[in-house]
Amino acid sequence: MSTQAADASRALSGPGLAALGALLVQPWREMQRLPPLSWLQPEPAVVLLHADGSRSLWLGDRRREGATPAQCAAARFVAVEVPADETLECSVPLPPLPEADRAEAVALAVRAISPFDAAELVWGWRATPQGAVALMTTRQAVQARLDAAALGLDALPEVWALDRGARPVVLQGFGESARHRLAVRGRRLGGLLLVSALLLAIAVLLTPTLQLRLRALQAQAAYDQAQQRLAPVLAQREALAQAQAQQGALHEQMQARVEPLAVLDLLTQAVPSDSFVQRLQLQGDKLMLTGQTPNTAALMNRLSAEPLLRDVRSPAAATRGMTAGRENFILEMNLQPQALRPAASAVEPAPAAAPLAAATSASAVAVAASAAASAAASAASAREPR
C-alpha cells in the first residue's frame, strides 16, 4: 500500500513540476516574439510558390510586400502552397498550455476530427489567442503539388497552406526541419550575444568600483610597506617621546624639590644677630619660625623686606620671655619659588661649590652658637635671686 502511494505521489508530483517549469519558461518564449527581443529569433526568408504560379517572400508569419524577383531568388528556403480548396481547416479551442502540451492536444484533436486515413493524413497548425487552427489534407494532394512545381531541388521543400486569414500554416513532415534548425541556431547565437552584452554592461558598471578597490588595496599594501620600512624610525621616535616625558617628569620633580640648605642660608641672612630661631618648620612653601628677639615688630619688618619672603604674619601675639628685653615670637610666612630651589652655584663643578658649602656651614654654626648663648642667658637669669 505504501509503495503504491509513493508511486502515485511521484506520478502526480513529476508532471506537476514539469508543467510548472514549462509554464515558467513559456512567458519568456512569448516575450521573445516582442519587437525589442524579436531579433533573438531570426526568421529566415522563405519564398512561397503559390498554386497560381506566383511567388511571394515571407519572413516568418509576415509577408514582405513588393519583393523583387531577385530577392525571391536569393531566399534560402522554398515552400510550395497547397490551395485552400484542397485543405480542411478547423479551430481547436485550448486553455493556456505549454507549447509541447499544446502540440499534443492539437494532434489529439486532429486525429479525432480528421476525415482522412491516418496513413494519408498531412496536417499542420498554428497558435491563436483562442487556442489553435489546424489545416488538414492528404499526402496525395501534397505530392501532386510538389510534382506540379517541378523545382528540381536537392532538398525537399516545405509545404504550406494559408488559413482564412491568409496566414501561413506549415504542414508537417517535409522540409521545414532545416529552417527550424537554423532558427534554433540563430536563437542560441542571439541569446549568447545578449548574455555577452549583459556581461559586458556589468563589467563596464563594475570596472570603476573594481579600480577603486584595486587602488585601495595597492594603497594599503604601500602603507604596510612604509610601516615596515619606518618601523625602526617610529621606534626611535617612541623612545624619544618616552625620554622627553621622563625628562619632563624629572624636571617637575626637581622644580618641586625643597633645598633645606638654601632656606637656612636665607634665614641666616634675614634674621638679625640679636635674634635667634629655636624652631623651624618648613611645609611646601610655607615657613613657620619660633624663637626670641628684642623686637618682634622690627623682625617682621625686616623679614618682609626680603624679596624672597612674602606674607609675613604672626598667628599669635608675642610674649615677653624669661630673659630681660626679649620676646617670644611665632611667625609664619611664604617663600618665593626661588627660595626653595638650590642655588645656581650648587650645580657648578665641585671647586665652585666649596665656598657655598663653607658659608652654609658657618651659618649653621652661627645659629647654633646663638641658640647656646640664649640657653646660657636663660640659665643665668634663673639663678638670680628673686
Side-chain angles (χ1 to χ4, degrees), residues 15-33:
L17 293 177
L20 179 60
L23 289 175
L24 293 177
V25 173
Q26 185 64 25
W28 168 247
R29 292 179 177 174
E30 296 296 335
M31 288 178 60
Q32 291 180 355
R33 295 187 176 95

Side-chain angles (χ1 to χ4, degrees), residues 266-279 287-306 309-314 318 326-333 370:
L266 175 61
L267 293 178
T268 302
Q269 298 176 11
V271 176
S273 58
D274 57 353
S275 303
F276 58 89
V277 178
Q278 295 175 332
R279 183 183 177 186
L287 176 64
M288 186 175 66
L289 301 178
T290 303
Q292 293 184 357
T293 181
N295 190 344
T296 302
L299 178 60
M300 292 179 65
N301 291 333
R302 182 164 181 175
L303 292 176
S304 298
E306 289 292 332
L309 300 177
R310 56 186 176 84
D311 299 335
V312 180
R313 57 194 177 276
S314 178
R326 290 190 174 275
E327 297 176 352
N328 297 323
F329 65 88
I330 299 177
L331 299 179
E332 292 181 356
M333 63 201 73
S370 176

Side-chain angles (χ1 to χ4, degrees), residues 355-380:
L356 177 59
T360 303
S361 300
S363 300
V365 171
V367 171
S370 176
S374 176
S378 300

Side-chain angles (χ1 to χ4, degrees), residues 30-345:
E30 296 296 335
M31 288 178 60
Q32 291 180 355
R33 295 187 176 95
L34 298 177
L37 300 177
S38 59
W39 63 274
L40 293 176
Q41 288 186 331
E43 297 291 348
V46 180
V47 57
L48 178 61
L49 304 180
H50 295 275
D52 59 359
S54 62
R55 296 187 177 190
S56 61
L57 188 64
W58 293 79
L59 297 175
D61 295 341
R62 294 176 291 106
R63 180 174 181 172
R64 185 170 181 179
E65 302 294 340
T68 62
Q71 292 175 342
C72 293
R76 184 171 180 179
F77 299 98
V78 179
V80 176
E81 180 193 9
V82 177
D85 55 359
E86 298 180 7
T87 61
L88 176 62
E89 180 177 343
C90 62
S91 298
V92 181
L94 294 174
L97 291 174
E99 186 174 356
D101 294 343
R102 185 183 300 179
E104 293 179 359
V106 172
L108 182 61
V110 167
R111 285 194 297 269
I113 64 178
S114 172
F116 308 113
D117 184 66
E120 291 294 326
L121 177 63
V122 176
W123 65 281
W125 69 281
R126 60 176 291 115
T128 63
Q130 293 77 21
V133 172
L135 273 72
M136 296 171 284
T137 188
T138 61
R139 193 171 298 276
Q140 182 180 1
V142 172
Q143 189 62 43
R145 289 298 170 183
L146 292 177
D147 294 341
L151 298 177
L153 300 176
D154 295 336
L156 187 65
E158 299 183 25
V159 177
W160 287 14
L162 300 180
D163 61 5
R164 296 187 183 96
R167 290 169 298 184
V169 176
V170 180
L171 301 183
Q172 301 175 5
F174 297 93
E176 71 277 0
S177 59
R179 183 168 57 86
H180 291 166
R181 287 194 299 268
L182 181 62
V184 170
R185 289 197 298 269
R187 284 195 298 269
R188 291 177 179 175
L189 179 59
L192 181 60
L193 292 177
L194 179 61
V195 172
S196 301
L198 291 176
L199 293 178
L200 182 60
I202 293 174
V204 170
L205 293 176
L206 292 181
T207 297
T209 303
L210 294 178
Q211 288 180 349
L212 292 177
R213 176 62 178 169
L214 181 60
R215 291 176 183 175
L217 293 177
Q218 293 176 350
Q220 183 64 34
Y223 177 77
D224 294 339
Q225 293 178 359
Q227 287 278 37
Q228 293 178 359
R229 292 195 303 267
L230 296 177
V233 179
L234 294 177
Q236 295 177 0
R237 177 188 176 190
E238 184 66 21
L240 178 61
Q242 293 180 358
Q244 290 178 349
Q246 294 176 357
Q247 181 182 4
L250 180 61
H251 180 71
E252 291 180 358
Q253 292 180 359
M254 293 296 295
Q255 291 294 329
R257 187 172 66 90
V258 177
E259 183 62 41
L261 293 180
V263 176
L264 287 177
D265 181 62
L266 175 61
L267 293 178
T268 302
Q269 298 176 11
V271 176
S273 58
D274 57 353
S275 303
F276 58 89
V277 178
Q278 295 175 332
R279 183 183 177 186
L280 183 147
Q281 182 178 355
L282 181 62
Q283 186 175 6
D285 63 343
K286 184 177 181 181
L287 176 64
M288 186 175 66
L289 301 178
T290 303
Q292 293 184 357
T293 181
N295 190 344
T296 302
L299 178 60
M300 292 179 65
N301 291 333
R302 182 164 181 175
L303 292 176
S304 298
E306 289 292 332
L308 298 180
L309 300 177
R310 56 186 176 84
D311 299 335
V312 180
R313 57 194 177 276
S314 178
T319 59
R320 185 169 298 278
M322 298 177 62
T323 305
R326 290 190 174 275
E327 297 176 352
N328 297 323
F329 65 88
I330 299 177
L331 299 179
E332 292 181 356
M333 63 201 73
N334 292 332
L335 298 174
Q336 296 287 356
Q338 296 83 352
L340 301 175
R341 305 294 177 264
S345 58

